[in-house]
Amino acid sequence: MNPTRDSRILVINVGSSSLKWSVTQLPAGIVLAKAEAAIGKGEVGPLVDSISESGIDAIGHRVVHGGEQFRAATRIDETMLSALEALSPLAPLHNPPALEGIRAARARWPGVPQVAVFDTAFHLEMPAHASTYAVPETWRAAGVRRYGFHGTSHKYVMEHVAATLGVAASGLRIISCHLGNGASICAIENGHSVDTSMGMTPLEGLVMGTRSGDIDPGIVAHVHRTLGLGIDEIEHALYHGSGLAGLSGLGKDAREIEAAAAKGVAQAQLALEVYAYRARKYIGAYAAAMGGVDVLAFTGGIGENSAAMRARICVRLEFLGIRLDPQANERLKLEGFELAAIHEESAATGVFVTQAREQWMIAQETARLLETEKLHG
């Protein structure tokens, strides 16, 4: 398959609670069809079977965790699936449904090339000092390390920023903020991820919609001893009962929380302050890790749509050359996939906003791999 000719790429993105799919025509990047549905136990296969698209040239699958083995987009076959199955303990909420989707798609479209694109792949070149936890060697030998996620989104931001500014990614220091129900920040230096806020699981790092982000690990033992909670209950609470929802008591929708905060609801105000403060700390830390920053980029549902949150996060970052243009920030309405500037013209550091394009990026990665195989086959 040649990505310079028209090709139709089906992208299947199976998460822990939803299935998204889209068909993208390349190289134009036109989305021909897309849909999303909530999933329950045993529903992934039937939903994949219900996708009626035909004439598909290839299928790309989003897989959250590729461990240390899968460092790039990978052609799917039975040997690869066996290796991927063994990684399920690293992402028990995400990888098993993704595998179910892959197997259903292989049965639904036999003979169509299928490719796995991993959230973790972009981060696997992080230096050891960023990826290593200070835990016993036996734990590290069992796979305990920082992997990072949202890699497809952060890689897209890097490529989009570099292409729009006309500067090679190898000459930029970018801090990419993917802020949505799941949220992470990535430090990108010279075209590579050098650190990211999520760790071994998508639980570490920023405050998220229902996930806690960073906590003192001692809290787990404390609530077990004092509240009598088991490991499964604690894990469920940290993933599904924490974050903006746990702080505000109003659910995970940032728009509802911002509306309540504007009315003076103290819990809502605190939730937003904690969210912004955590993000600001990471931005400062990553600027220090890279010796400065050239571009700060926002993407994801909150990053794209909440001018108030972008402003909260950027408060007190003037020492990094970050100065928002309040009017540009407030009036921003993305019309497509442009890279929109919201910084003052004289600011030393560019601040931009762009739509997340994970489905499109997965289609691109799928096409790139298959073309590379063709050239070297």
Side-chain angles (χ1 to χ4, degrees):
M1 182 183 64
N2 188 338
T4 62
R5 296 200 307 266
D6 281 351
S7 55
R8 289 160 53 91
I9 311 294
L10 170 63
V11 173
I12 298 177
N13 179 348
V14 183
S16 59
S17 60
S18 68
L19 185 153
K20 303 175 186 176
W21 66 268
S22 63
V23 177
T24 301
Q25 181 177 310
L26 295 178
I30 300 168
V31 177
L32 303 174
K34 64 179 180 177
E36 180 176 355
I39 56 172
K41 188 175 181 179
E43 293 179 347
V44 174
L47 280 171
V48 170
D49 286 340
S50 72
I51 300 173
S52 59
E53 296 296 317
S54 59
I56 301 301
D57 295 295
I59 301 173
H61 296 268
R62 179 202 178 203
V63 180
V64 165
H65 215 307
E68 293 189 67
Q69 179 175 351
F70 296 105
R71 295 179 168 267
T74 304
R75 173 78 83 106
I76 295 170
D77 57 25
E78 282 302 322
T79 301
M80 180 269 185
L81 283 177
S82 296
L84 193 55
E85 193 90 45
L87 296 175
S88 288
L90 291 174
L93 300 179
H94 294 86
N95 273 29
L99 280 162
E100 190 178 347
I102 290 170
R103 295 195 185 281
R106 296 186 80 209
R108 172 73 175 77
W109 292 277
V112 175
Q114 305 203 26
V115 172
V117 178
F118 300 93
D119 274 19
T120 47
F122 183 56
H123 303 299
L124 285 178
E125 292 183 353
M126 285 193 299
H129 62 253
S131 65
T132 304
Y133 288 116
V135 296
E137 193 279 332
T138 52
W139 295 19
R140 288 180 272 126
V144 174
R145 55 156 288 173
R146 303 188 68 251
Y147 291 96
F149 301 90
H150 290 143
T152 304
S153 179
H154 292 305
K155 184 176 181 181
Y156 169 72
V157 167
M158 176 192 74
E159 293 184 354
H160 192 33
V161 166
T164 303
L165 299 183
V167 179
S170 59
L172 290 171
R173 295 166 299 181
I174 301 168
I175 297 177
S176 171
C177 303
H178 180 111
L179 306 180
N181 186 43
S184 68
I185 294 183
C186 183
I188 305 169
E189 185 175 10
N190 299 329
H192 301 282
S193 169
V194 295
D195 206 345
T196 190
S197 57
M198 286 179 169
M200 180 174 169
T201 73
L203 188 59
E204 186 181 359
L206 304 180
V207 172
M208 303 176 224
T210 63
R211 295 177 226 165
S212 65
D214 293 338
I215 64 167
D216 178 346
I219 291 172
V220 174
H222 176 76
V223 297
H224 169 67
R225 287 192 295 263
T226 59
L227 301 179
L229 298 181
I231 292 297
D232 290 344
E233 292 175 294
I234 295 170
E235 183 177 52
H236 186 271
L238 291 175
Y239 270 100
H240 302 291
S242 301
L244 287 174
L247 285 168
S248 70
L250 298 171
K252 65 183 181 181
D253 192 320
R255 292 165 298 186
E256 294 181 8
I257 297 170
E258 286 187 337
K263 295 177 182 176
V265 178
Q267 282 181 284
Q269 291 172 340
L270 177 62
L272 297 175
E273 289 167 4
V274 173
Y275 187 100
Y277 180 69
R278 186 76 60 83
R280 191 184 316 126
K281 283 207 303 182
Y282 267 98
I283 292 168
Y286 287 167
M290 295 190 294
V293 55
D294 303 306
V295 170
L296 174 65
F298 291 98
T299 192
I302 295 174
E304 296 164 23
N305 298 308
S306 177
M309 183 55 74
R310 294 192 297 263
R312 286 189 194 94
I313 290 170
C314 290
V315 166
R316 306 189 76 180
L317 292 179
E318 293 84 2
F319 73 101
L320 294 175
I322 294 171
R323 298 200 310 275
L324 290 192
D325 178 330
Q327 291 183 331
N329 184 46
E330 284 291 335
R331 67 171 179 255
L332 174 66
K333 298 293 180 186
L334 294 173
E335 297 179 358
F337 296 103
E338 71 271 23
L339 185 72
I342 58 170
H343 54 271
E344 290 183 0
E345 189 173 341
S346 61
T349 300
V351 183
F352 299 93
V353 184
T354 191
Q355 286 193 47
R357 251 185 136 179
E358 290 174 287
Q359 302 282 102
W360 178 86
M361 193 67 175
I362 292 168
Q364 291 282 344
E365 293 278 302
T366 299
R368 287 173 187 170
L369 172 66
L370 296 177
E371 177 63 10
T372 299
E373 286 185 352
K374 181 180 178 182
L375 291 173
H376 294 88

